[in-house]
């Protein structure tokens, strides 16, 4: 009997390759999303689909996960978005009682990675990579409000400690914009980070680590075109030994298990500033698979006791994503709908 994987958020960027790879491996794949099946192309590829409640409602989401896992005898659970990572990791006790393996790093690691302020403070003293120093917005307001924010060095970036997909991020060019931002975010200022804006190209590195063996594999790409919420659509895959060693050191320091992604700003070639660790598949994990290393399959190996496949030589190449149309179901006419 094939084993069963529950994949959440199958309308997200990484979902199609995740579902396809696990189906190829012989798994029964259950998918869920907050939107109905008819709105999501990947719903046609899973063995069973469920519409999920919002993960922000932890009680409803937890009850939903329990129902789905019981009905389908789920063996593994893989969340694909940050908000679901947060919710799922708080469900660890219930998962264990059901015999469900959560394919995530441990709780301490995820809490650290999901807080950009704490991650920078943790990594900066280690000296293994360049980080972008930040301040808490609340402290900036208390210190600089009397000067009208005229003494700050611009441009700056404001972002929530636990933001996702660039949500809530603001670029601040001058004191006037800073005054507006400080007023707008007054209530949430203790949870906002202020950092200098570093110009450059975003570099995403897919990283998979198996702690017991210590094996780590990385695949890097420059994101040449990105959607407004930060997903790369045109990328250049490349290999740089120094960047790979930095990522291996960061993954070890953070005690990563499985596949995550690190984001950097490349100010000039060979100079990278660490931005964040997203403790889940990147939206562009399919690019790493296309480039020659199956991050999706090897992620699962970290939770099934299999040894990671060795790294392969990655050649510099350009890869792009395009959108395609699907028919997911028949739509009723207005007349037919009125008869129901």
């Amino acid at each position: 009997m094939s084993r069963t994987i529950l994949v959440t958020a199958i309308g997200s960027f990484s979902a199609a390759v995740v579902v396809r790879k696990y189906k190829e491996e012989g798994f029964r794949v259950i998918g869920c999303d907050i939107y109905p099946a008819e709105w999501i192309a990947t719903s046609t590829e899973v063995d069973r689909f469920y519409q999920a409640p919002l993960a922000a409602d932890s009680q409803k989401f937890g009850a939903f996960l329990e129902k789905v896992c019981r009905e389908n005898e789920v063996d593994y659970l893989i969340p694909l978005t940050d908000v679901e990572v947060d919710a799922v990791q708080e469900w660890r006790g219930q998962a264990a009682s059901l015999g469900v393996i959560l394919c995530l790093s441990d709780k301490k690691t995820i809490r650290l990675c999901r807080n950009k302020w704490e991650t920078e403070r943790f990594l900066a003293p280690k000296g293994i990579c360049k980080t972008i120093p930040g301040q808490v917005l609340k402290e900036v307001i208390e210190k600089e409000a009397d000067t009208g924010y005229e003494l700050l060095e611009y441009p700056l970036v404001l972002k929530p400690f636990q933001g996702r997909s660039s949500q809530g991020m603001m670029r601040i060019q001058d004191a006037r914009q800073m005054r507006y931002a400080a007023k707008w975010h007054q209530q949430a200022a203790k949870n906002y980070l202020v950092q200098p804006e570093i110009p450059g190209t975003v570099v995403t590195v897919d990283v998979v680590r198996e702690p017991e063996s210590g094996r780590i594999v990385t695949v890097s790409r420059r994101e040449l075109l990105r959607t407004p919420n930060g997903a790369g659509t045109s990328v250049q895959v490349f290999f740089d030994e120094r960047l790979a060693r930095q990522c291996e050191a960061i993954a070890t320091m953070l005690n990563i298990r499985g596949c995550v992604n690190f984001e950097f700003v490349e100010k000039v070639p060979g100079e990278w500033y660490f931005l964040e660790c997203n403790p889940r598949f990147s939206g562009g994990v399919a690019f790493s698979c296309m480039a020659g290393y199956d991050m999706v399959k090897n992620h699962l190996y970290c939770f099934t006791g299999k040894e990671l496949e060795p790294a392969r030589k990655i050649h510099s190449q350009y890869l792009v994503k395009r959108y395609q149309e699907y028919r997911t179901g028949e739509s009723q006419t207005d007349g037919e709908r009125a008869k129901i």
Side-chain angles (χ1 to χ4, degrees), residues 62-91:
F64 166 79
L65 292 177
E66 181 171 352
K67 174 180 180 292
V68 174
C69 289
R70 286 188 184 279
E71 286 183 359
N72 297 278
E73 298 182 350
V74 169
D75 299 293
Y76 304 98
L77 196 165
I78 300 178
L80 298 187
T81 64
D82 292 324
V83 66
E84 289 174 332
V85 167
D86 294 341
V88 165
Q89 81 147 344
E90 298 302 329
W91 193 69

Side-chain angles (χ1 to χ4, degrees), residues 123-188:
L123 289 177
K126 314 291 185 191
I128 56 179
C129 62
K130 291 187 176 182
T131 63
I132 305 175
Q135 302 177 71
V136 180
L137 177 58
K138 186 176 185 294
E139 296 175 358
V140 173
I141 292 173
E142 291 171 351
K143 188 180 354 177
E144 303 291 343
D146 290 343
T147 70
Y149 307 102
E150 298 287 350
L151 301 182
L152 294 172
E153 293 187 23
Y154 298 96
L156 296 169
V157 173
L158 268 63
K159 54 188 174 184
F161 288 175
Q162 293 185 288
R164 58 183 289 258
S165 302
S166 301
Q167 291 179 3
M169 190 178 80
M170 298 179 67
R171 287 181 169 83
I172 307 298
Q173 302 298 328
D174 52 36
R176 179 187 63 82
Q177 290 184 352
M178 187 64 193
R179 286 192 293 272
Y180 173 81
K183 183 177 179 180
W184 181 259
H185 295 294
Q186 184 76 42
Q187 298 303 314

Side-chain angles (χ1 to χ4, degrees), residues 171 197-203 223 226 264-268 271 273 275:
R171 287 181 169 83
E197 182 174 23
I198 305 294
T201 302
V202 173
V203 169
E223 304 214 327
R226 308 181 91 209
F264 298 83
V265 172
E266 186 178 46
K267 188 174 182 180
V268 296
E271 185 177 359
Y273 289 80
L275 283 175

Side-chain angles (χ1 to χ4, degrees), residues 36-54:
E38 293 79 9
W39 296 12
I40 300 166
T42 311
S43 70
T44 64
E45 300 171 13
V46 296
D47 293 290
R48 192 172 182 184
F49 174 83
Y50 289 83
Q51 188 170 355
L54 293 172

